[in-house]
Structure formats: C-alpha cells, structure tokens
Amino acid sequence: MISVTEAAPRESSLRGTLTYGDYLQIDDGRQYELIEGELILTPSPGFLHQHIAAGVGGLLRAYVDKHNMGLVLFAPFDVVLADNLVLQPDVLYLSRERFDLLTENCLKGAPDLVVEVLSPASGRRDRLEKSRLYLKHGVKEYWVVDPFAQTVEIFSAGEKGWLLAGAYGPEDTLSSPLLPGFSANGEEIFRLPEGLVL
C-alpha cells in the first residue's frame, strides 16, 4: 500500500501516468478519482449534495427495482472506464444486460446512466471534463443536478455529443429517454426535511 507520505511525491512525479493498479495501492484515507492518469482528490461532499444524491438515487432505485431492469449504485464506487481512468459518479444505473461489467470492487466499463450532483469543488469538472469522458466511453444518459440553481439537466448521448433531453426545476416532472415511464417530481428532489434550515 502507498501511504500518505508516499502518495504526494508519487502523484507529482508520475502525473498523467498512473494506472488503476497504482490507484488501488493508495491507502491514505482520502477519496480520489483517476482522470487520464492524473490523481484528483475529491473532498467529501456537503450535506445538501449528499441529501440530493440520495434522493435522486432513491427515486431511480425504486423505478429500476419495480421493473427489474438492473441496479442502482451510489458513490463511492469505482467506475473503471480505462486503465488510467477511474471515476466515482454520485449515482449510476447499470442495466441487467451489462451485469458482466460488474465485479466486487468496481464496474469495468460504462454504466448506462450517470448522475452527478454539482458541488463548488467539482462543478466545472463534472460539467466539462467528466461529461466528455462519460460520453466518449459509452454512457447513454447523463444527469447534471445543481443543488443551488435547483435544476436537473438530462442529456442523451448523440453521435457528436450530448443532446439536452430536458431541463427541470422544482415545479417540473422529470422524465428520462432511457427509462420509459420514469417520472419524478422536481420538488421532491430538492425538498429539505421539514424543520431543517441551512
């Protein structure tokens, strides 16, 4: 295992050249993603991020379980898109037809659907860099949830890039091109527990 003191020099000396094997050796108690061989520290998300991710994940899981379509998983769980590319989407959906990609420790390939909940530390990366990587490696649908603007944008993979399938706020009912019949109340996604004021 690589310790805290070993991780920093290794990261700087091998910037852009780390592999999934190297990533697995890091044992410093922190959470990382590996983007094109570069180790990226991902700070623990705040309450609002976690609350919304759990809510969206719960809605997706209920629908997927009801229709026996596959499974829904939550971060932290490694999605290994290439030997130098390991991401941890907030929520992912994997169809039954792709269960062969799943191992005990990771998903070796692209999930069907990825949800990223934006936070100040990761918002730009989620919208740009990770978005492009998900598309390139075969994710079919990408949801970007902004807790502060209270919006959910749903993108479908197109031949030349992501196509906006819908943009939703608290007053809207979400639908998904990938999940026929799925609907969710936007207000339900962004509602805080009664009595909680942030």
Side-chain angles (χ1 to χ4, degrees):
M1 294 288 181
I2 298 174
S3 70
V4 176
T5 54
E6 294 169 332
R10 185 174 177 83
E11 178 187 353
S12 60
S13 64
L14 296 177
R15 183 172 296 274
T17 64
L18 295 176
T19 67
Y20 183 52
D22 298 321
Y23 170 90
L24 290 175
Q25 296 301 309
I26 297 169
D27 184 24
D28 64 4
R30 294 185 283 183
Q31 187 173 313
Y32 296 94
E33 290 182 312
L34 185 64
I35 298 181
E36 297 180 328
E38 184 175 342
L39 202 61
I40 307 293
L41 178 65
T42 57
S44 295
F47 164 77
L48 191 57
H49 179 285
Q50 288 295 76
H51 178 69
I52 290 173
V56 171
L59 292 168
L60 284 171
R61 177 174 275 174
Y63 177 84
V64 166
D65 288 352
K66 178 180 178 182
H67 298 282
N68 196 24
M69 297 175 65
L71 58 85
V72 174
L73 296 172
F74 304 85
F77 188 74
D78 291 340
V79 172
V80 183
L81 297 173
D83 193 44
N84 69 346
L85 182 58
V86 183
L87 302 178
Q88 293 190 0
D90 293 313
V91 182
L92 67 86
Y93 157 65
L94 184 70
S95 62
R96 291 174 101 20
E97 296 76 26
R98 306 180 85 198
F99 277 3
D100 60 317
L101 300 176
L102 192 62
T103 73
E104 174 63 26
N105 298 317
C106 69
L107 178 64
K108 291 191 172 182
D112 297 83
L113 183 153
V114 163
V115 179
E116 292 285 7
V117 179
L118 303 182
S119 60
S122 68
R124 181 175 170 79
R125 188 179 315 120
D126 289 342
R127 279 196 174 278
L128 300 176
E129 189 173 14
K130 288 171 68 174
S131 164
R132 292 179 190 127
L133 292 168
Y134 287 135
L135 180 68
K136 176 182 175 183
H137 289 276
V139 172
K140 297 174 186 174
E141 192 166 289
Y142 184 48
W143 295 20
V144 177
V145 183
D146 187 332
F148 306 102
Q150 293 195 329
T151 58
V152 179
E153 295 170 297
I154 297 179
F155 297 92
S156 296
E159 288 184 18
K160 297 183 179 180
W162 290 115
L163 304 173
L164 181 64
Y168 306 95
E171 67 283 359
D172 299 317
T173 300
L174 284 72
S175 62
S176 161
L178 187 65
L179 305 173
F182 173 85
S183 66
N185 186 315
E187 185 179 6
E188 194 176 340
I189 290 172
F190 297 106
R191 182 186 304 129
L192 292 176
E194 189 174 343
L196 179 65
V197 179
L198 293 179

